[in-house]
Amino acid sequence: MKPTVRTLLDRDDLALTLRTDAASLPDGVLDTPVPWVHSSDLDDPAPFLEHGQVLLTTGTQFGTDAGHDDPAAFDSYVTRLREAGIAALGFGTEVVRATPDLLVEACARHGLPLLEVPYRVPFIRVARTIADLNAADANARQAWALQAQRAISLAALRPDGLGATLTELSRRLDTWVGLVDSAGALDREAPVGGLGQPALGEVVGEARSMLRRGQRASRTLEAAVAVGRPQRMTLQTLGAGGALRGVLVIGDSAELDAAGREVVTAVIALAGLALEQNRDLDRARGHLRSGLLRSMLAGDIELAAGVSAEMWGPLPQDPVRVAISDLPAEHDDRMAEFLELRADEKHGRLFFGRDGEQVVVIAEDADQAVADELAAEFDVPVGISDAAAVADLARLHEQATRALERSRETGTGVTWFDDISRQGVLAFLARTDARAVARATLEPLIEYDHANGTALLETTRTWLEHGGQFDATAQELGVHRHTVRSRIALAEKLLGRDLSGFHARADLWAALLATE
């Protein structure tokens, strides 16, 4: 333990006396750690002092005649010492004079401990005491760090090495330790339930933000707790930039000294190694999932069901939906871990696998919200099929693929096949590669409207929507039916086609759909 002002007062060999009334001192001031002792008789020693030091003086700067003491000079002297942040002032009594009463009063006013040093106690003894105690503390902390690192290394060899490592770190630091995995969920903590809300929510939220940025980083967070002062938390990413494996969170981190930081560094290295090993296993499981997915799409459900039951649990039960998402450019491993966590929560009754640059999810109808989670968490387009039996998986996969294509075009997060199927076959024919042709088809109407301020294109669209009925179109647009007739006639002239026939109308409607 580092020596404090109280440590000096408790040493019988120093025989120091506290002259400042303890009641006038701020709480905890006597327990301030003292890194060093300095002696000076300068009028203003503040520029040569560092925070937390004890200053010793014989008082020659005050003179020898108590009758000429200036109260303002003493007050100014103590003010400068307080601003320098010293822990205490020691006065060597009877070297030049007895401890000045004005100095005692000034120290009491400013809450600075004043220690009286007997004539028989040399200043060097006080300084050596602090130096020896600090050296002993440093040696003890180094021994503690070595012992802690050895215990943590042994913990890493246990079956759940990562969990045992975090538990040992928590015990050694006497604080809460947590690991947020790459999917942004609290994977492990020690002790379990040791950090309540709202602090836990703040910590996980900040960890997710760090993971989304994808860069190695360290953060400190003042997390609110239900009772007491905010708790200072340290968050450190694990893994290489662009392939982060998680975030290590340590509570009460403000108290960590050099030895504590050494232990934490060792844990970061071990945790990173363990997560990288898990990553290799995850990739092997991912290859297995992809193989089973291809088997299921080829119609061999029985093989996939048997392997899945052994590895993760039973396959999703009918009715199921298929969701297909593009893989995020730099976070494909994080998406895999995100889905692995969801599958684990469902005891296997949510299956996924990688298919080229896409990920395919097979979920029970009640679990369709996973599509929204993927779109929100990774900002990727997602297409989702209708609900049907697992035996219809190939058809559902085709539906989800078409929905994904529409999601890419429209920029929406999730597109349901049911929504686009209601638009009819023409909606599927009007793909991205048809837009240029559609634009050329409608260009005469677009240019005419732009040049003359008319609404030929809008009128034509509304007229087609109402099956070519002039009265219904006029009512919809709020114009006379003869106005609609004249606009359609002009549109036919500009387009160079007769819109009285079904095929011409269907072609024009497809062009309108393609340019939406």
Side-chain angles (χ1 to χ4, degrees), residues 48-66:
F48 310 101
L49 300 175
E50 293 184 356
H51 187 84
Q53 291 182 342
V54 168
L55 175 65
L56 302 178
T57 182
T58 61
T60 58
Q61 68 272 36
F62 304 128
T64 59
D65 187 359

Side-chain angles (χ1 to χ4, degrees), residues 381-442:
V382 181
I384 188 167
S385 71
D386 293 338
V390 176
D392 292 330
L393 202 59
R395 179 173 64 86
L396 298 181
H397 182 271
E398 178 66 20
Q399 290 181 355
T401 300
R402 301 285 79 80
L404 175 62
E405 291 172 354
R406 179 58 58 87
S407 183
R408 292 181 186 136
E409 293 176 8
T410 60
T412 55
V414 178
T415 298
W416 295 73
F417 180 80
D418 182 61
D419 291 339
I420 59 176
S421 65
R422 286 198 299 266
Q423 299 175 11
V425 176
L426 282 177
F428 287 92
L429 296 178
R431 309 313 306 162
T432 304
D433 54 2
R435 288 180 179 174
V437 176
R439 178 79 182 185
T441 300
L442 300 173

Side-chain angles (χ1 to χ4, degrees), residues 121-144:
V121 178
F123 284 177
I124 190 63
R125 185 186 300 173
V126 181
R128 185 183 294 116
T129 298
I130 289 295
D132 291 345
L133 290 174
N134 274 316
D137 177 72
N139 290 334
R141 292 297 293 166
Q142 189 61 39
W144 171 87

Side-chain angles (χ1 to χ4, degrees), residues 94-115:
E94 305 300 341
V95 177
V96 176
R97 58 183 293 187
T99 306
D101 292 336
L102 291 177
L103 182 61
V104 176
E105 295 170 3
C107 288
R109 279 195 303 273
H110 293 281
L112 179 67
L114 177 61
L115 312 180

Side-chain angles (χ1 to χ4, degrees), residues 179-436:
L179 176 66
V180 178
D181 62 24
S182 60
L186 183 64
D187 182 71
R188 292 173 172 84
E189 62 174 329
V192 177
L195 185 66
Q197 298 292 355
L200 183 59
E202 292 183 41
V203 165
V204 173
E206 180 63 22
R208 288 176 177 172
S209 177
M210 296 170 72
L211 290 169
R212 289 192 188 99
R213 286 192 285 271
Q215 299 175 345
R216 288 181 56 84
S218 178
R219 297 278 188 277
T220 57
L221 174 69
E222 294 286 343
V225 295
V227 179
R229 62 176 179 81
Q231 188 171 352
R232 182 182 176 89
M233 318 291 292
T234 292
L235 295 85
Q236 172 66 55
T237 58
L238 302 174
L244 298 181
R245 306 298 298 157
V247 178
L248 179 67
V249 187
I250 301 173
D252 287 334
S253 55
E255 304 300 326
L256 287 181
D257 58 4
R261 290 191 293 272
E262 285 183 18
V263 173
V264 171
T265 300
V267 169
I268 291 173
L270 289 171
L273 178 61
L275 290 174
E276 285 300 326
Q277 292 173 337
N278 290 342
R279 184 179 188 177
D280 293 337
L281 293 174
D282 291 342
R283 285 176 174 170
R285 284 193 291 264
H287 291 316
L288 177 59
R289 283 186 176 278
S290 296
L292 292 177
L293 176 64
R294 288 192 292 270
S295 174
M296 295 169 71
L297 292 176
D300 193 349
I301 305 296
E302 185 176 351
L303 171 63
V307 176
S308 178
E310 292 291 332
M311 291 290 296
W312 304 289
L315 289 176
Q317 294 185 350
D318 298 340
V320 300
R321 292 181 186 267
V322 171
I324 303 180
S325 164
D326 287 336
L327 285 169
E330 299 178 352
H331 303 296
D332 51 343
D333 285 337
R334 192 163 75 86
M335 178 181 279
E337 291 197 11
F338 176 89
L339 289 172
E340 197 72 62
L341 180 64
R342 295 296 179 271
D344 186 62
E345 291 173 353
K346 300 296 179 181
H347 303 290
R349 291 174 65 172
L350 182 149
F351 189 86
F352 71 94
R354 181 168 178 169
D355 183 16
E357 296 304 314
Q358 299 171 348
V359 64
V360 179
V361 181
I362 304 170
E364 295 180 356
D365 190 30
D367 297 327
Q368 58 189 249
V370 69
D372 295 308
E373 293 180 4
L374 283 176
E377 182 70 22
F378 300 97
D379 192 25
V380 290
V382 181
I384 188 167
S385 71
D386 293 338
V390 176
D392 292 330
L393 202 59
R395 179 173 64 86
L396 298 181
H397 182 271
E398 178 66 20
Q399 290 181 355
T401 300
R402 301 285 79 80
L404 175 62
E405 291 172 354
R406 179 58 58 87
S407 183
R408 292 181 186 136
E409 293 176 8
T410 60
T412 55
V414 178
T415 298
W416 295 73
F417 180 80
D418 182 61
D419 291 339
I420 59 176
S421 65
R422 286 198 299 266
Q423 299 175 11
V425 176
L426 282 177
F428 287 92
L429 296 178
R431 309 313 306 162
T432 304
D433 54 2
R435 288 180 179 174

